[in-house]
Amino acid sequence: LDAMPKVALERRQESLELLGRYLSRGLPLRSFDPRVPYNLALIVAKTRGPTPFARALFRRAAKLGNPAGAYSYGSLLIRGDSPQEVAEGVRWIRQAAEGGHSRAWRRLAGIYREGYVLPADKPRGLECLLRAVELGDVKAIEELSTRLIYLGRYAEAAPWADRLRSLGRISGEVDLAVIRVMCGTTREDLEAGVGALVSH
């Protein structure tokens, strides 16, 4: 698995087939390191798309307790047509989040924000973003800053935008400029904020 990205395409396909046959023998779950089915599922998904085989491998990784596998499997399930499948997908994404997977926390934040899978719950969505931030997820900081600005909570957004700027992210500069435009008390503040937005 480690060498596969460096292996010629025809050998890679052969390796996939052999690994697939091995994993499809229905051996007990405890026989596998959870990284094996997950890494194989990633390779299959990248080379062939989210096939039933990749989905089955992500499911196996999820059942073995691999948070990344649980996130990937849940993400596939919430695209499903049946409410039961979608609910199961959310359950796996939540399990991945509780296992320390920051992208799963971000995905839950989006689910709560948009209300297309679960009823919309904006405060819960913000809590999920904060959990992702605690795990060092910079994209979650960006989403949190932008979301707070959208909600008009500029004072709460400012420290996150400033943190982004300190990390060298242009999004921090932009968010701080938006805050300055919206909160500035003088014409100079407004002009400086608009100037910063235009320059970015």
Side-chain angles (χ1 to χ4, degrees):
L1 281 167
D2 291 339
M4 209 172 277
K6 301 169 189 168
V7 175
L9 184 60
E10 60 274 11
R11 294 297 305 280
R12 194 180 310 170
Q13 291 299 110
E14 183 185 352
S15 299
L16 283 173
E17 295 300 333
L18 289 169
L19 279 165
R21 269 187 248 164
Y22 175 68
L23 289 173
S24 66
R25 286 182 180 178
L27 295 169
L29 288 175
R30 65 180 179 276
S31 303
F32 300 107
D33 179 322
R35 291 169 299 181
V36 173
Y38 174 69
N39 289 340
L40 179 58
L42 276 183
I43 293 164
V44 173
K46 285 178 183 175
T47 56
R48 300 180 183 174
T51 62
F53 181 39
R55 182 171 162 150
L57 289 168
F58 280 133
R59 180 172 183 266
R60 176 163 282 197
K63 288 197 162 196
L64 284 165
N66 182 293
Y71 170 74
S72 299
Y73 183 54
S75 296
L76 290 174
L77 287 176
I78 64 170
R79 299 178 193 169
D81 297 323
S82 76
Q84 294 84 4
E85 195 174 33
V86 171
E88 188 184 353
V90 172
R91 184 176 65 79
W92 281 113
I93 291 171
R94 188 174 282 121
Q95 185 170 315
E98 289 165 0
H101 197 278
S102 65
R103 284 181 65 193
W105 281 116
R106 274 198 285 123
R107 188 65 178 266
L108 279 176
I111 288 169
Y112 283 118
R113 183 182 67 241
E114 294 161 20
Y116 65 90
V117 174
L118 296 172
D121 187 341
K122 292 183 174 76
R124 190 90 178 268
L126 290 173
E127 285 172 20
C128 291
L129 283 176
L130 281 168
R131 294 293 296 273
V133 168
E134 287 168 10
L135 292 167
D137 191 319
V138 176
K139 285 188 178 179
I141 302 173
E142 290 176 329
E143 287 185 31
L144 183 61
S145 176
T146 303
R147 192 73 196 145
L148 288 168
I149 288 171
Y150 177 79
L151 294 171
R153 293 162 62 172
Y154 304 111
E156 291 174 70
W160 299 113
D162 198 45
R163 184 164 163 189
L164 287 170
R165 180 171 61 178
S166 71
L167 291 170
R169 305 287 271 219
I170 196 71
S171 53
E173 301 281 355
V174 170
D175 285 357
L176 284 168
V178 170
I179 291 166
R180 194 167 185 181
V181 168
M182 300 307 293
C183 300
T185 55
T186 67
R187 183 175 181 81
E188 290 75 24
D189 286 331
L190 178 63
E191 288 174 353
V194 170
L197 283 172
V198 169
S199 68
H200 293 102

